[in-house]
Amino acid sequence: MRFAANLSILYGHLPLLERPAAAASAGFAAVEMWWPWDGPEPDDRNVDTLEDALEQAGVQLVAMNLIEGDMRAGDRGLLSSPARAQRFRDCIDTAVGFAERNGCPVLNALAGNREAGVSADEQYNLAVESLWLAANAAQRAGLVVALEAINRHEAPHYLLGDADTAVALADAVNAATGLNNTGFLCDLYHHGRNGEDIPALLARHAARIAHVQIADTPGRGRPGSGELDYPDLFGRLAAHGYDGWVGLEYEPVRNADIDFDWLPSLRPRI
């Protein structure tokens, strides 16, 4: 397995521009991140300085969220919100351009929460429309748009509560676009927290997985600290042909003292 450090959660205690170097110092060659700017259309200086930080650190960006709102405050995406979907659409050109220049193959699009006073059909159709725009822009740059399920304990109103629902929306977007570049971001923490049968969902959806993220259940700590058998799950991913990056998206116990001596213990069991 090839591991990428999530800059937004592992290194969120550091200023943004210091995070790539911190990940490189810990031995990572690849990183991923949530949307790194305050708004959908950051000025060129803010974009350029982040590109410089990645380049100077010598790390590859392998996945990035499209604008998702305030994650810490409970937002889980804007693309299906009638009042805020335009902010999602406004970020697409910046995201695609940034990803293309930095060799980032995956853009993660969080689907959003259900909203009072808006029908489920209206939000679903708006999601497909927003993702249609993102997928077409991504296709021109050779990128993949990924859709992620989030567990019902943390986000009970999120539109995509399990793997099957996320893959079904990806299928709907691919049917609408006539493309095949909308896939599934498989976050094993969320599926484990849901109590889903992870070996079975990997068997069903392995061909659709665009990216993998991990943490352990139930506390979202480092893999190996909870209930999930990661050597077994990694063995299954490898057996199904997954050879992409695995993002470390877990909550560190001590933000200022992060070590990764435990990583060798996750060698796939095949």
Side-chain angles (χ1 to χ4, degrees), residues 158-270:
Y158 184 68
L159 267 63
L160 307 178
D162 57 38
D164 292 346
T165 307
V167 171
L169 180 56
D171 287 344
V173 175
N174 285 329
T177 60
L179 306 171
N180 195 36
N181 70 327
T182 301
F184 172 42
L185 191 152
C186 183
D187 188 318
L188 296 174
Y189 161 71
H190 288 302
H191 302 302
R193 189 77 176 93
N194 266 344
E196 295 176 71
D197 183 338
I198 297 178
L201 77 83
L202 292 178
R204 287 196 305 277
H205 301 311
R208 306 300 308 285
I209 296 175
H211 188 63
V212 172
Q213 291 177 329
I214 60 172
D216 220 327
T217 61
R220 199 169 186 163
R222 67 167 179 80
S225 65
E227 301 169 353
L228 296 180
D229 184 348
Y230 271 106
D232 175 71
L233 295 176
F234 289 157
R236 291 174 186 273
L237 279 166
H240 288 303
Y242 183 74
D243 61 357
W245 293 94
V246 175
L248 303 181
E249 196 189 33
Y250 66 89
E251 296 278 5
V253 175
R254 300 177 303 279
N255 279 340
D257 183 20
I258 303 170
D259 69 70
F260 301 95
D261 293 343
W262 51 271
L263 271 176
S265 69
L266 299 187
R267 185 180 55 179
R269 188 182 307 126
I270 301 176

